[in-house]
Amino acid sequence: MKKLIFPLLFLLCLTAYKSVENPDYIDIQELRKIYSSGDSSKWPAAELHESVDKSKFQDIGVLPAVPYPAYNPYSKEKENLGKILFFDPRLSRSGQIACASCHNSELGWTDNLTRSFGHDRQTGKRNSMTILNSAYATSLFWDGRASSLEDQAQFPVQDPLEMNEKLTIAVDKIAKIKGYNSLFTEAFGDKKVTLERIQYAIATFERSINSPKSKFDQFVSGKSDIYTDQQVNGMHLFRTKAQCINCHNTPYFSDNQFHNDGQTLFGTKNEDFGRYNVTKDVKDIGKFRTPTLREVVNTRPWMHHGHFPTLLDVVELYNLGNPSPVQKKYLGTARDSLIPKVDPALKKLNLSKEEISDLLAFIETLSTPTRRIIIPEMPK
C-alpha cells in the first residue's frame, strides 16, 4: 500500500506546482479533449485585442456549405462553361494568357511566384492570391476592389499588366467561336455571349474550387487522435498568446477585413498603399485584405508583395510586432500626411522558439495535398 501512496502524493504535488507555481502550465490532453469535442462553445475564450468588434467575431471552425448568390445560382452546366473560360487564353490580347496562368491547381491555385507575369512578360505589382475557398470572401484582390467573384472576373482581362484586352473585344472573340454556342445554350438557355454571362460562369466555376477536409477540420469534428501534442498547443496559441485569431478568424480563417500590418514599404520602390488606392481615404493607407490561412502552406511566397519565402519568416515578423520604421526624411514634408499607421493590434508577442514551432505545426494542418485538375479541351 505504501508503494502506491508515494507515487500518488508525488503526482499531486507535481500537479499543485504546475497549477500554482507555474500558472502558464497547459494540460495538453485536456485541451485536446476540449478542442476536439465538436462543440466550440466549450473552447477556452479567444484572446482578442480591444480593437476587434466582439459582437461580430466568429471563431475558427469547419467551413459551411458554399454560398451561391440568388442572382447567380449554381448549375453544373454553368460551372463547366466557367471552367473552360477560366482556361481559355483567347480572352487575352496575346491569346497566350488565361486566368489559369496565375492560378495553377498544382500550385495551390496560385503560381508560387513573387509577382506574376502577364502581357508581354510584364511583372505584376502584387503576389497572386489563391482562388481556393474564394466563395467565402466578401471582397476580392488584396485591396478589395471587387465586391464579388462575378465582379472580379472582369478585372484581369482588361488589366494592361495581365491579359490586356478590351472587354468588348474579349466578348466578341468568344462569341465568334462556334464551339461555345452549345456551352452557352446549356448554361443560360441560348447561345448569346455577353460579358455578364462570362463573369457569372467563371464565378460559378471559382466557387467550386474548395479545400477537402483538412486535419484541422477532422480534429475539431471529433477525431482527437489526428493531432500531435505540438499541433494541439499550436492551435491554442493561435487563439490566445500568438494573437493570430484577431484577423484570421471565422471558418475561412480570414475576417474579410483590411489591416495595415506594416508592409506598406513606404518610401521604397515597392511602396504600395493598398486599400487607399480604392477608397482614397487616408485611414486606409497600407491596409490589405486579410488572406485566408486555409491551404497557406501551398500558396508561397507570402504577403501582398511576395517577399516572404517561408512561413517562419511571417511568424517571426509578427512575433517582433511587425516593426515598420518610418524614414525620418519624410517627416515634415508633403508626404508627412501619407505616412502609414499600423494596426493597433500589432505588438511584440514574445513567443519562444518552441511556441513558434508549435504554432507553425498547427498552421500546417490547415492545408491539404495539392490536386491536379483535368484541363478542358478548348472549343473551336
Side-chain angles (χ1 to χ4, degrees), residues 176-339:
K176 291 176 181 178
I177 299 171
K178 293 182 179 180
Y180 270 114
N181 290 347
S182 61
L183 293 170
F184 273 84
T185 299
E186 291 169 0
F188 295 103
D190 60 65
K191 66 179 183 180
K192 186 177 181 181
V193 177
T194 66
L195 175 60
E196 181 179 271
R197 287 183 171 185
I198 291 174
Q199 291 173 270
Y200 280 26
I202 292 176
T204 300
F205 168 66
E206 290 179 331
R207 286 192 179 94
S208 74
I209 306 302
N210 298 293
S211 301
K213 296 295 184 183
S214 65
K215 279 190 176 181
F216 164 78
D217 297 314
Q218 296 176 63
F219 176 70
V220 298
S221 297
K223 196 170 184 179
S224 61
D225 60 349
I226 200 170
Y227 262 14
T228 64
D229 288 354
Q230 185 182 32
Q231 291 163 344
V232 172
N233 191 46
M235 178 176 173
H236 187 62
L237 287 167
F238 184 95
R239 298 182 64 256
T240 54
K241 182 179 178 180
Q243 299 285 293
C244 311
I245 197 73
N246 282 320
C247 299
H248 295 285
N249 48 57
T250 80
Y252 181 47
F253 279 81
S254 167
D255 61 2
N256 273 311
Q257 300 299 313
F258 300 87
H259 302 276
N260 182 338
D261 63 355
Q263 293 298 298
T264 309
L265 306 181
F266 187 77
T268 73
K269 66 178 182 179
N270 292 311
E271 177 181 281
D272 191 338
F273 281 179
R275 182 68 173 161
Y276 171 79
N277 295 328
V278 177
T279 66
K280 301 305 178 184
D281 185 339
V282 292
K283 294 180 181 179
D284 288 333
I285 292 177
K287 289 186 177 181
F288 293 88
R289 186 167 69 86
T290 305
T292 176
L293 291 187
R294 284 187 175 270
E295 307 297 345
V296 69
V297 168
N298 302 319
T299 59
R300 64 178 62 85
W302 295 279
M303 299 291 191
H304 70 272
H305 44 57
H307 288 176
F308 288 74
T310 73
L311 283 173
L312 176 60
D313 294 324
V314 177
V315 173
E316 287 281 17
L317 188 69
Y318 284 115
N319 192 36
L320 293 171
N322 222 347
S324 54
V326 174
Q327 297 181 48
K328 293 182 179 180
K329 65 180 180 180
Y330 293 111
L331 296 175
T333 70
R335 302 203 79 206
D336 197 319
S337 62
L338 297 177
I339 294 176

Side-chain angles (χ1 to χ4, degrees), residues 101-113:
S101 298
C102 297
H103 301 285
N104 188 324
S105 65
E106 296 181 54
L107 300 174
W109 288 95
T110 179
D111 56 15
N112 291 169
L113 297 174

